[in-house]
């Protein structure tokens, strides 16, 4: 559906992307992860045909996105990372205009998208909040039912409720066979929607992983409060990795093997459990550190 | 051409186009209105002009004097103010139509729709030219209306000369618009595009003015496209009309084409 082949682009300041290669299958949701400035947006700009690659090519449904402008766009829905609409329009006028550019859309589906994302389309764009612009952008990316949807940081600016609505939308369209490429910082969103994800750093893809593998890389901290300090002493003998201890409260670091943690903990009386999920940046850091140790 | 884009761009810009057109029409009507008063004193005004250094009179298009309405309008309006209005129009609108959309990022939306960059660029050029033609047409019509209203029978009016004058101005700004459009298509930064096309247009304008004032510096005129539109010569029927038309049309068309090709080929920071 979408294949990025050996794309290299070096900007005059020396930054850029080098030999980026990956492909996304039909009906797959592909995550694109990496810290700021790693090259996610640069890669997406090549996919959209905005930048001319120094080397390599991008193909969407068999069409080269640099050489065959005008052919590939009808298969694509796009949500830019930094949304900028044409000035002096309302949300409705903009969506009508984009529908015209797309050659017509199913208005019932468009109205349903607007209803589910809950915003007033009559608001002038210059008066919209960031979240509201994001919603207009999401409608514009989905409304013509494209085969491939490219989303650059789709949930930035959305409140948690709307993030949930958005994830539902992605899963529904995925079930219909739509292919997604989605860059993100938000791990739960990637976790719930993606099948595979690529990790990019300093312009180089360092891994393309199954999402389950990524989950197993994620370290979780469980803060367990036991009934007594005696139980804590016994618990600490079990060999689980203990992060810290404070009276009858213990922080346990768990990476992957959640099952063993549950079994060990269940032998004691537990008052409370809290979980701290490691954020995506920390996972990257871990991953990069390991890469550095075994060159 | 992309019709949805053309319609949308006209919808956004039509009000501004009309403002320019109405402003220009209003001014030309004003010129016709005050002319009868000036014509009565044309003798003394002409002797005043004769007293001025020859270059200054030529620079401001006064060499035909105030004896006829054609000479008056060509000198007083088409010689200076109209050129400034249309220069500003070309610089602002051409920058808005491409460089601004690239700078802001909204060009990403236009290019993510099933169209090509060439079509987008062609459409934006068509919007610019539509505005230009609208202003020139309204100004021409206002000229005829003004003559009929304030001066007298249109049968006495040198209509052909007046139409040629307006067609010449339109062609000059087809060329200036083309150059500004080319700059707009090359720039990622809206302000830079605005500055560059401003400097080039005002530079051409000044070269022409200086060349006219000073005999020694008259060579300067020949590197300015403004020298190809001389209102006094057109009304006085001494202009080399076919040559000027060919050069202005050729330069303008080449600049538009170059803008489209460059816009098609370059990487855009969207």
């Amino acid at each position: 559906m979408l294949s990025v082949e050996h794309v290299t682009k070096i900007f005059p300041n020396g930054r850029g992307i080098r030999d980026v290669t990956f492909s996304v299958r039909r009906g797959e949701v592909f995550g694109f992860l990496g810290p700021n400035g790693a090259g996610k947006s640069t890669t997406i700009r090549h996919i959209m045909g905005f930048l001319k690659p120094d080397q390599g090519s991008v193909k969407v449904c068999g069409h080269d996105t640099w050489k065959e402008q005008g052919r590939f766009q009808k298969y694509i829905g796009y949500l830019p990372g930094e949304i900028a609409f044409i000035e002096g329009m309302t949300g409705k006028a903009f969506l009508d205009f984009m529908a015209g550019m797309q050659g017509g859309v199913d208005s019932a589906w468009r109205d349903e998208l607007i209803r589910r994302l809950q915003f007033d389309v009559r608001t002038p764009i210059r008066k919209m909040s960031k979240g509201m612009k994001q919603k207009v952008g999401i409608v514009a990316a989905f409304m013509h039912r494209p085969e491939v949807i490219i989303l650059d940081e789709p949930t930035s600016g959305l409140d948690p409720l709307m993030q949930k609505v958005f994830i539902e939308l992605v899963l529904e369209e995925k079930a219909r066979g739509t292919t997604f490429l989605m860059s993100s910082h938000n791990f739960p969103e990637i976790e719930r929607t993606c099948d595979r994800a690529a990790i990019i750093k300093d312009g180089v893809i360092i891994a393309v992983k199954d999402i389950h593998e990524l989950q197993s890389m994620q370290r979780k901290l469980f803060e367990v409060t036991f009934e007594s300090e005696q139980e804590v002493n016994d618990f600490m003998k079990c060999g689980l990795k203990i992060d810290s201890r404070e009276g009858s409260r213990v922080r346990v670091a768990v990476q992957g093997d959640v099952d063993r943690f549950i079994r060990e903990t269940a032998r004691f009386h537990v008052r409370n459990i809290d979980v701290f999920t490691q954020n995506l940046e920390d996972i990257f850091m871990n991953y990069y550190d390991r890469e550095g140790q075994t060159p | 051409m992309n019709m949805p884009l053309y319609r949308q761009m006209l919808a956004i810009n039509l009000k501004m186009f009309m403002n320019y057109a109405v402003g220009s029409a209003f001014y030309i009507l004003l010129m016709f209105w005050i002319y009868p008063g000036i014509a009565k004193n044309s003798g003394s005004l002409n002797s005043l002009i004769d007293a001025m250094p020859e270059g200054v009179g030529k620079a401001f298009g006064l060499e035909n004097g105030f004896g006829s309405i054609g000479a008056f309008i060509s000198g007083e309006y088409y010689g200076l103010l109209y050129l400034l209005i249309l220069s500003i129009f070309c610089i602002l609108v051409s920058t808005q139509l491409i460089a601004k959309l690239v700078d802001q990022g909204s060009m990403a939306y236009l290019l993510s729709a099933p169209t090509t960059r060439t079509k987008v660029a062609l459409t934006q050029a068509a919007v610019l030219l539509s505005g230009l033609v609208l202003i020139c047409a309204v100004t021409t019509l206002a000229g005829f209306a003004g003559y009929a209203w304030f001066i007298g029978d249109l049968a006495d009016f040198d209509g052909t000369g007046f139409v040629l004058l307006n067609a010449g101005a339109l062609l000059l700004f087809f060329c200036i618009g083309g150059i500004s459009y080319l700059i707009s298509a090359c720039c990622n930064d809206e302000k830079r595009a605005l500055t560059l096309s401003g400097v080039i247009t005002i530079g051409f304008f000044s070269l022409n003015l200086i060349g006219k004032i000073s005999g020694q510096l008259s060579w300067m005129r020949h590197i300015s496209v403004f020298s190809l539109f001389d209102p006094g010569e057109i009304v006085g029927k001494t202009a080399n009309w076919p040559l000027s038309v060919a050069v202005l049309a050729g330069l303008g068309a080449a600049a538009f084409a170059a803008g489209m090709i460059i816009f098609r080929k370059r990487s855009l920071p969207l």
Side-chain angles (χ1 to χ4, degrees), chain B residues 1-201:
Chain B
M1 277 282 278
N2 183 312
M3 283 320 283
L5 179 60
Y6 182 73
R7 276 198 298 271
Q8 186 62 48
M9 285 294 148
L10 273 195
I12 291 172
N13 290 310
L14 195 60
K15 204 175 149 202
M16 187 235 312
F17 292 175
M18 284 312 292
N19 286 344
Y20 276 93
V22 169
S24 170
F26 187 76
Y27 199 87
I28 204 169
L29 284 177
L30 190 75
M31 304 293 286
F32 276 96
W33 181 58
I34 61 172
Y35 178 70
I38 286 178
K40 269 186 240 155
N41 303 313
S42 68
S44 49
L45 276 169
N46 281 341
S47 55
L48 181 71
I49 291 163
D50 288 340
M52 286 195 286
E54 192 193 354
V56 175
K58 254 180 94 179
F60 295 99
L62 303 177
E63 73 269 33
N64 287 349
F66 292 95
S68 81
I69 179 73
F72 176 68
I73 289 285
S74 72
E76 290 305 297
Y77 190 51
Y78 289 82
L80 190 67
L81 196 69
Y82 193 49
L83 300 185
L84 287 177
I85 292 176
L86 287 181
S87 294
I88 292 166
F89 175 84
C90 282
I91 295 166
L92 289 182
V93 174
S94 63
T95 304
Q96 268 180 32
L97 287 172
I98 298 195
K100 185 181 178 190
L101 299 182
V102 170
D103 194 357
Q104 274 187 347
S106 43
M107 185 59 85
Y109 268 108
L110 307 186
L111 299 182
S112 70
T115 182
T116 62
R117 286 196 195 177
T118 314
K119 277 186 195 161
V120 169
L122 196 64
T123 309
Q124 300 299 68
V127 173
L128 173 65
L129 293 177
S130 303
L132 206 52
V133 168
L134 178 80
I135 297 171
C136 290
V138 169
T139 304
T140 312
L141 290 177
F144 281 103
Y147 191 90
W149 193 0
F150 299 114
I151 312 290
D153 195 352
L154 272 180
D156 305 330
F157 186 45
D158 179 11
T160 326
F162 188 65
V163 168
L164 283 183
L165 185 66
N166 281 284
L170 177 62
L171 270 169
L172 172 66
F173 285 96
F174 172 71
C175 182
I176 300 274
I179 294 167
S180 306
Y181 173 90
L182 170 60
I183 291 165
S184 177
C186 295
C187 286
N188 294 333
D189 184 281
E190 183 189 351
K191 286 215 174 81
R192 173 173 295 174
L194 202 59
T195 314
L196 264 177
S197 32
V199 164
I200 289 179
T201 306

Side-chain angles (χ1 to χ4, degrees), chain A residues 115-219:
Chain A
R115 186 180 54 72
R116 286 172 68 174
L117 289 165
Q118 298 173 16
F119 66 98
D120 183 1
V121 281
R122 288 162 303 175
T123 314
I125 280 163
R126 71 192 149 79
K127 290 195 177 158
M128 286 185 178
S129 65
K130 185 170 187 320
M132 201 155 165
K133 283 185 188 166
Q134 197 74 12
K135 290 174 179 179
V136 176
I138 291 171
V139 174
F142 279 71
M143 66 180 178
H144 51 297
R145 285 236 142 101
E147 295 191 32
V148 183
I149 299 184
I150 314 276
L151 304 161
D152 197 351
E153 311 265 349
T155 54
S156 65
L158 295 186
D159 59 44
L161 181 69
M162 282 302 135
Q163 291 186 7
K164 191 166 154 279
V165 170
F166 169 76
I167 289 174
E168 282 165 17
L169 265 179
V170 171
L171 291 176
E172 278 173 37
E173 289 306 292
K174 178 191 175 183
R176 296 179 77 253
T178 307
T179 310
F180 283 89
L181 178 101
M182 180 156 124
S183 84
S184 183
H185 280 300
N186 182 339
F187 198 81
E189 158 188 314
I190 294 281
E191 215 173 6
R192 286 195 53 191
T193 52
C194 292
D195 303 298
R196 286 190 303 147
I199 297 179
I200 186 167
K201 193 203 175 198
D202 294 337
V204 179
I205 298 263
I206 54 175
V208 178
K209 294 268 181 200
D210 202 80
I211 199 70
H212 301 297
E213 262 184 272
L214 268 178
Q215 277 170 334
S216 69
M217 279 162 52
Q218 188 185 30
R219 202 172 70 126

Side-chain angles (χ1 to χ4, degrees), chain A:
Chain A
M1 255 345 238
L2 167 67
S3 66
V4 179
E5 285 154 20
H6 305 291
V7 171
T8 297
K9 174 86 178 177
I10 308 295
F11 294 111
N13 63 9
R15 303 179 63 106
I17 53 174
R18 285 177 181 81
D19 200 26
V20 168
T21 300
F22 61 86
S23 66
V24 186
R25 293 184 289 263
R26 173 180 284 275
E28 188 179 33
V29 181
F30 191 86
F32 203 38
L33 308 175
N36 287 330
K40 294 188 299 267
S41 291
T42 304
T43 308
I44 287 177
R45 285 163 187 164
H46 280 96
I47 295 173
M48 292 306 297
F50 299 152
L51 295 177
K52 182 184 185 182
D54 293 344
Q55 276 157 37
S57 65
V58 179
K59 287 203 171 74
V60 171
C61 298
H63 297 289
D64 186 306
T65 60
W66 176 257
K67 292 183 188 130
E68 297 179 69
Q69 288 175 11
R71 297 251 186 93
F72 74 94
Q73 288 103 323
K74 67 176 177 228
Y75 304 107
I76 280 195
Y78 175 53
L79 175 73
E82 279 169 41
I83 298 189
F85 300 117
I86 298 169
E87 282 174 6
M89 295 171 88
T90 64
K92 172 143 180 25
F94 177 74
L95 290 173
D96 285 343
F97 164 59
M98 283 310 291
M101 294 280 285
Q102 296 290 356
V105 301
D106 176 0
S107 60
W109 167 236
R110 191 182 79 174
D111 293 344
E112 191 195 323
L113 286 169
I114 292 168
R115 186 180 54 72
R116 286 172 68 174
L117 289 165
Q118 298 173 16
F119 66 98
D120 183 1
V121 281
R122 288 162 303 175
T123 314
I125 280 163
R126 71 192 149 79
K127 290 195 177 158
M128 286 185 178
S129 65
K130 185 170 187 320
M132 201 155 165
K133 283 185 188 166
Q134 197 74 12
K135 290 174 179 179
V136 176
I138 291 171
V139 174
F142 279 71
M143 66 180 178
H144 51 297
R145 285 236 142 101
E147 295 191 32
V148 183
I149 299 184
I150 314 276
L151 304 161
D152 197 351
E153 311 265 349
T155 54
S156 65
L158 295 186
D159 59 44
L161 181 69
M162 282 302 135
Q163 291 186 7
K164 191 166 154 279
V165 170
F166 169 76
I167 289 174
E168 282 165 17
L169 265 179
V170 171
L171 291 176
E172 278 173 37
E173 289 306 292
K174 178 191 175 183
R176 296 179 77 253
T178 307
T179 310
F180 283 89
L181 178 101
M182 180 156 124
S183 84
S184 183
H185 280 300
N186 182 339
F187 198 81
E189 158 188 314
I190 294 281
E191 215 173 6
R192 286 195 53 191
T193 52
C194 292
D195 303 298
R196 286 190 303 147
I199 297 179
I200 186 167
K201 193 203 175 198
D202 294 337
V204 179
I205 298 263
I206 54 175
V208 178
K209 294 268 181 200
D210 202 80
I211 199 70
H212 301 297
E213 262 184 272
L214 268 178
Q215 277 170 334
S216 69
M217 279 162 52
Q218 188 185 30
R219 202 172 70 126
K220 288 187 172 128
L221 277 182
F222 289 93
E223 189 178 83
V224 189
T225 315
F226 292 98
E227 288 278 337
S228 66
E229 298 210 14
Q230 181 54 42
E231 284 183 310
V232 178
N233 292 334
D234 292 341
F235 177 77
M236 286 177 73
K237 289 175 195 144
C238 72
L240 283 169
K241 200 176 165 200
I242 308 295
D243 191 71
S244 64
R245 178 187 173 177
E246 198 184 309
S248 60
R249 244 188 338 214
V250 178
R251 282 193 174 190
V252 189
V254 177
Q255 190 168 348
D257 197 3
V258 183
D259 189 51
R260 181 166 164 239
F261 164 73
I262 298 284
R263 274 189 281 112
E264 294 289 350
T265 317
R267 298 193 288 127
F268 305 95
H269 296 283
V270 176
R271 256 198 206 142
N272 191 22
I273 293 189
D274 256 336
V275 62
F276 301 94
T277 310
Q278 194 185 20
N279 67 31
L280 215 49
E281 273 71 21
D282 293 339
I283 301 174
F284 291 140
M285 285 309 140
N286 275 351
Y287 198 87
Y288 301 146
D289 288 349
R290 273 193 291 154
E291 290 287 298
Q293 282 155 13
T294 53

